[in-house]
Amino acid sequence: MTALTAVVTGASALAMPATAEAVSTETTVRAVDDTYVSSSRASGAFGADEKLAAGRLGNDSKTVVLKFTVPAGTDVRRAVLFLRPMAPPSGRLTVSRIADNTWTEARLTSGTMPEIGAAVAGVTPKAADTRVGFDLSHEVTKPGTYSFALSSSLTGGVVRFRSAEHATGGGPELVLTTSPSPNTPAPVKPADCVTGAKLVPSCGVLWGGAAGGFTSKPRDVEHKNWEKLSGRTATIFHTYHKGDEAFPTKAEIAMTSDATNPRVLLLNWKIAYGSSWAKVAKGEQDRRIDAFAARAKAYDKKFFLVLHHEPENDVVAEAGSGWEAKDYAAMYRYTIERLRKQGVTNVANVLAFMGNEKWLAQSWWKDLYPGGDVVDWIGLDSYVSAEKGYYHYGTFADLLDRKPKGGGPGFYEWATTEHAGKPIMIAEWGAYHRIGRTTDKSFVYDSVLPELARRPAIKAIVHFDTKADDEGDRDISIGSTPAGLASFKRLAASPTFNVKIG
């Protein structure tokens, strides 16, 4: 039998040796449901077939669908999915996560197929391989039920694998390492994680929050209430300002001077409020910039600054509007350079995009970026629905991987490819359901840590919490259901977020 050729996690390939790494205990979990769907046969169910098929022939696209249940009490340290091809395999194979576990092989058809989420692993097998494996260690982390879809890049062929119903056996297996390998590195001590000059943590991920949005309630009070509810001090305290508002405010200064609960400011500033990006870039708001520079120097603590977050939504793509994408880039560069000339050295600059598939596809989208010398962090403000069938339903991975309409790389891939080395901040995130349609958000919160583990460029996440959004119809709060709150508190308790402010 040929050993596993390659296992791919995210964008990085890991060559596997012919002899498996020694481990103390392995547990094999077989699929509780395995089948495939065929796009040309919308009502066809193939759960009883001996084969699993993936690929494309003509107009018929086939996708393998798998479900595994990891038993309660299993201490998962590593998880690898194995499939056995029925003939020499070819093409690129990709495994994607499915959040919905309610399907069964007896009833699943292409017409009832649940939504496929982000890709989590992939491999290009050799023709001689008789077993193909995918490292799912960042997906399968604890007891529970997990569903996956397997697709093939083949457009003129199909690769077939043995199903659980195959007469000679050899169906899908999830092989779990349930105790540490001798080569498992020692975990980093939380005390070792500290922020640097640009507030980038040396390890771990900064944890933050913004509470009280779209209300008249004091942000500092709401932030403290949210911390009590979630069970952790939110190291990043996120607030919003516009135009000539004086900030940092007394309350913001007090919140970041609390030695018992150390915090760092994340300030959003719509500097062009009542003006335009083009006018700012021409120097017409220098008074406004210089006043802020004086306050920033007097504050004398490091903080994050976002200039006009989510600019895509405000672009007016008409010559001379003052709100073209190139005007935004010019405004951003001009403001940061002027702040620096005024002696402001305690700011880490964050460019916070929306990352919506509509905006990513615009011809002007690339023109928003003002240059790596004035951008310290790449930011993303993005949300998912916990309500199946509603706008942007999905897990934490789905808010990171939205792709432009018409094709192209997802946001995380774009940021790590086009701006490699820049730390990424999820400057706003959350899960929502419509008001009056309360839905458990646990599956979203449970998906965060595995994604952070496989996406090392993410150095900070900041949850935006409100019981009603700006449209008044979506609940983005962590406490809308007891189960969701319990899940969020488990997330907040992770040592991943034990980062000290340097």
Side-chain angles (χ1 to χ4, degrees), residues 186-271:
V188 178
K189 296 180 181 179
D192 294 338
C193 298
V194 64
T195 59
K198 293 296 182 180
L199 293 170
V200 180
S202 58
C203 57
V205 177
L206 280 167
W207 174 261
F214 309 114
T215 74
S216 59
K217 297 177 181 179
R219 287 296 181 106
D220 57 331
V221 174
E222 290 302 292
H223 188 87
K224 290 178 180 179
N225 289 338
W226 187 78
E227 289 177 335
K228 290 178 181 178
L229 186 63
S230 62
R232 173 186 283 272
T233 296
T235 306
I236 296 178
F237 174 38
H238 193 184
T239 63
Y240 299 77
H241 295 281
K242 60 183 181 294
D244 289 317
E245 291 180 1
F247 61 96
T249 65
K250 290 182 179 180
E252 290 165 350
I253 293 171
M255 285 286 283
T256 54
S257 301
D258 183 352
T260 305
N261 299 287
R263 304 182 186 93
V264 62
L265 279 176
L266 170 58
L267 298 173
N268 281 23
W269 184 24
K270 290 200 171 182
I271 183 176

Side-chain angles (χ1 to χ4, degrees), residues 397-477:
D398 293 293
L399 66 83
L400 303 173
D401 292 327
R402 289 190 185 123
K403 297 182 178 181
K405 287 185 176 180
F411 187 89
Y412 183 87
E413 182 182 352
W414 167 82
T416 53
T417 301
E418 295 297 320
H419 305 291
K422 292 288 183 187
I424 294 175
M425 174 187 291
I426 312 306
E428 289 183 16
W429 75 276
Y432 55 81
H433 56 70
R434 283 173 286 183
I435 293 173
R437 303 195 183 199
T438 303
T439 307
D440 181 17
K441 301 170 183 174
S442 298
F443 75 95
V444 178
Y445 304 145
D446 289 344
S447 71
V448 174
L449 288 176
E451 289 305 317
L452 295 180
R454 60 186 290 267
R455 299 174 193 260
I458 297 176
K459 301 298 184 181
I461 63 172
V462 185
H463 188 277
F464 186 92
D465 199 271
T466 182
K467 293 186 181 300
D469 67 358
D470 56 342
E471 300 295 329
D473 64 348
R474 293 191 294 189
D475 182 324
I476 319 176
S477 66

Side-chain angles (χ1 to χ4, degrees), residues 256-312:
T256 54
S257 301
D258 183 352
T260 305
N261 299 287
R263 304 182 186 93
V264 62
L265 279 176
L266 170 58
L267 298 173
N268 281 23
W269 184 24
K270 290 200 171 182
I271 183 176
Y273 181 75
S275 179
S276 72
W277 293 332
K279 288 181 179 180
V280 174
K282 290 177 182 177
E284 295 184 23
Q285 292 297 336
D286 285 357
R287 176 189 57 79
R288 188 175 281 180
I289 296 172
D290 294 347
F292 171 67
R295 294 192 298 270
K297 288 189 291 182
Y299 177 58
D300 199 30
K301 292 184 179 72
K302 296 175 185 176
F303 65 96
F304 295 105
L305 177 64
V306 178
L307 289 177
H308 206 113
H309 63 293
E310 305 173 11
E312 305 102 305

Side-chain angles (χ1 to χ4, degrees), residues 2-17:
T2 302
L4 173 62
T5 303
V7 175
V8 176
T9 302
S12 302
L14 171 65
M16 299 293 288

